[in-house]
Amino acid sequence: MALFGRKNDSSAPTATVDADPALAALTGAYTIDPSHSTISFTVRHAMVTNVRGTFTEHEGTLHLDGSNPANSTASIDVSIASIDTGAPDRDGHLRSADFFDAGTFPAMTFRSTAAERIDADTYRVTGDLTIKDVTRPLAIDLEFHGSATDVYGNERVGFEGSATILRSDWGLTWNAALETGGVMVSDKVKLGFDISAIKQGPEAA
């Protein structure tokens, strides 16, 4: 999404490109469609396999500026209680104080602070990701999948991207040592964003 920690390994300067005039018509306010969007994560378990999960409840808004992508913004709120890895006991543990402490900190939030167009189909959005009571910067590159009008007459745009963070940067440090060496849960977590958003009007909400 012109959306939504650590910045991807991009210490070298990145050249940006000018906006495509054809994108000007996409300028406007959008609402993320949660029924056609996925916010996911992947984390290594017991050093040998991956556990994948999603947050099934989330909402957000974007303002896209097709003429000047730097003016684009994004805001998203994710319900921690909606975490789903396909294993109820594990989900309960993730909601507990060992991890997210969903009772005390019910939402994970992202608020953009900058946006730029990298190439014809790629945009980089930087912002503040807050988990529990910790806020740190997050930057991800998102591929623009295009726009379309659906069967109900809604104008949609689609973006897909990912970012890798260290959960310890947000205070998620619980772990258990394995008898064979290593730990139960890796520090590194891959976040995934597959976003469909519906245009609401020409101006930001």
Side-chain angles (χ1 to χ4, degrees):
M1 131 176 65
L3 213 203
F4 39 15
R6 309 200 154 180
K7 194 166 184 174
N8 292 346
D9 188 8
S10 54
S11 55
T14 302
T16 58
V17 297
D18 294 333
D20 183 347
L23 297 178
L26 298 180
T27 297
Y30 291 76
T31 298
I32 296 171
D33 178 4
S35 64
H36 293 93
S37 301
T38 302
I39 297 176
S40 62
F41 63 90
T42 303
V43 62
R44 186 68 58 123
H45 176 260
M47 309 294 291
V48 296
T49 190
N50 289 322
V51 168
R52 295 176 173 83
T54 61
F55 294 95
T56 61
E57 296 179 14
H58 51 83
E59 60 184 21
T61 58
L62 329 179
H63 176 71
L64 304 185
D65 190 328
S67 299
N68 185 2
N71 290 334
S72 297
T73 61
S75 175
I76 190 164
D77 295 84
V78 176
S79 169
I80 295 298
S82 72
I83 197 167
D84 183 2
T85 65
D89 288 345
R90 180 168 58 213
D91 296 343
H93 191 198
L94 290 170
R95 296 184 189 107
S96 76
D98 281 347
F99 285 95
F100 288 103
D101 195 2
T104 305
F105 306 101
M108 173 173 63
T109 65
F110 177 86
R111 302 291 183 263
S112 67
T113 56
E116 58 184 321
R117 189 176 184 220
I118 304 301
D119 59 34
D121 296 315
T122 306
Y123 294 80
R124 176 169 296 151
V125 176
T126 303
D128 293 327
L129 177 66
T130 301
I131 303 174
K132 300 175 76 171
D133 57 352
V134 179
T135 299
R136 294 181 62 90
L138 172 72
I140 65 171
D141 292 347
L142 296 139
E143 182 181 357
F144 176 52
H145 286 323
S147 63
T149 301
D150 66 22
V151 295
Y152 302 105
N154 299 311
E155 184 175 354
R156 292 178 177 267
V157 292
F159 296 87
E160 183 178 8
S162 63
T164 299
I165 66 171
L166 299 180
R167 61 188 178 90
S168 59
D169 286 345
W170 280 267
L172 301 175
T173 58
W174 183 92
N175 228 320
L178 301 175
E179 291 184 2
T180 53
V183 293
M184 181 69 72
V185 185
S186 69
D187 193 19
K188 184 182 296 185
V189 180
K190 182 177 180 181
L191 304 176
F193 308 93
D194 196 345
I195 301 298
S196 177
I198 300 172
K199 193 172 187 179
Q200 303 300 310
E203 301 297 332

